[in-house]
Amino acid sequence: MDETKRPLQIPPEFTMYAEKNELFPLYERMIQEVIVSQPADPLEHMINFLHRENDDVPQIMMIGPPASGKGSIAQLVNKESGIHKIDTADLLTVEIEQVKQVKACIDADEDIPGDVLGALVKERISRKDCADQGWVLVGYPKTRDQALALQRHGIFAKHVVYMEAPDMVLIERR
């Protein structure tokens, strides 16, 4: 048989080693990062990714209907563990170009473009405090467009918590 056409045989020890050292999830995150970022030098980008990768920090998205308790639970998580609570309303307090675009959309009663808020979220979670201690993103994304925008910005939560409550409870809380 031609050496180039024989089946690839991976020794079982490799699989056991890779699972023991959690290499498969690392490969997956690294490939996601390269595909989303599409850097000019993928190898250099992967090396930088490995230098900054911190698997120990929580990265959580908390979604659900209005008044389901997302903010309250996120505040409790922040108080108990030091994980940074990120609410898109808090991101809109600084005066930068993206915020001006968002405020213009709100004033015109239009949908806020996902890429605009996605860029604000990306900037916030890239800061050292979130990178070191983790983050919980509250109530965002709300739409498919916003979720895809987060993906385009390379934001992938490790956990997604969906909060729900009976309709009567939600109506009473509003």
Side-chain angles (χ1 to χ4, degrees):
M1 175 185 257
D2 182 7
E3 286 294 314
T4 61
K5 297 199 180 199
R6 69 184 177 123
L8 178 62
Q9 296 184 1
I10 300 173
E13 299 86 36
F14 174 78
T15 303
M16 292 178 357
Y17 175 82
E19 286 177 358
K20 177 183 170 194
N21 292 290
E22 299 179 0
L23 294 180
F24 293 127
L26 175 63
Y27 291 151
E28 182 179 356
R29 287 190 311 277
M30 195 165 24
I31 295 300
Q32 278 178 338
E33 177 73 19
V34 169
I35 290 172
V36 170
S37 300
Q38 298 180 359
D41 184 357
L43 186 58
E44 183 67 29
H45 188 80
M46 286 190 272
I47 291 169
N48 292 336
F49 175 82
L50 290 172
H51 284 296
R52 74 174 187 269
E53 178 71 0
N54 185 355
D55 272 347
D56 297 335
V57 298
Q59 298 171 347
I60 304 165
M61 286 182 190
M62 195 169 287
I63 57 175
S68 60
K70 302 176 297 289
S72 301
I73 297 296
Q75 190 65 36
L76 182 64
V77 167
N78 170 265
K79 182 180 175 186
E80 294 295 321
S81 64
I83 298 170
H84 291 278
K85 175 186 170 215
I86 301 173
D87 193 329
T88 52
D90 297 338
L91 297 176
L92 300 178
T93 59
V94 291
E95 285 297 322
I96 58 176
E97 190 58 38
Q98 288 100 338
V99 173
K100 291 175 185 174
Q101 289 177 324
V102 170
K103 288 180 179 177
C105 290
I106 292 170
D107 291 342
D109 201 26
E110 298 173 354
D111 287 337
I112 300 166
D115 281 322
V116 174
L117 272 177
L120 290 171
V121 171
K122 173 80 173 183
E123 188 277 325
R124 177 62 185 101
I125 67 172
S126 298
R127 292 185 196 161
K128 184 168 176 31
D129 58 347
C130 287
D132 291 345
Q133 297 168 334
W135 48 268
V136 57
L137 182 59
V138 181
Y140 188 81
K142 293 180 181 173
T143 66
R144 183 176 189 275
D145 177 54
Q146 292 172 345
L148 292 172
L150 287 179
Q151 188 176 11
R152 284 190 296 273
H153 285 284
I155 301 169
F156 299 96
K158 292 179 183 172
H159 305 282
V160 176
V161 177
Y162 179 76
M163 304 286 291
E164 62 182 340
D167 289 343
M168 288 308 297
V169 172
L170 296 174
I171 291 169
E172 288 174 10
R173 288 184 182 171
R174 292 204 95 205

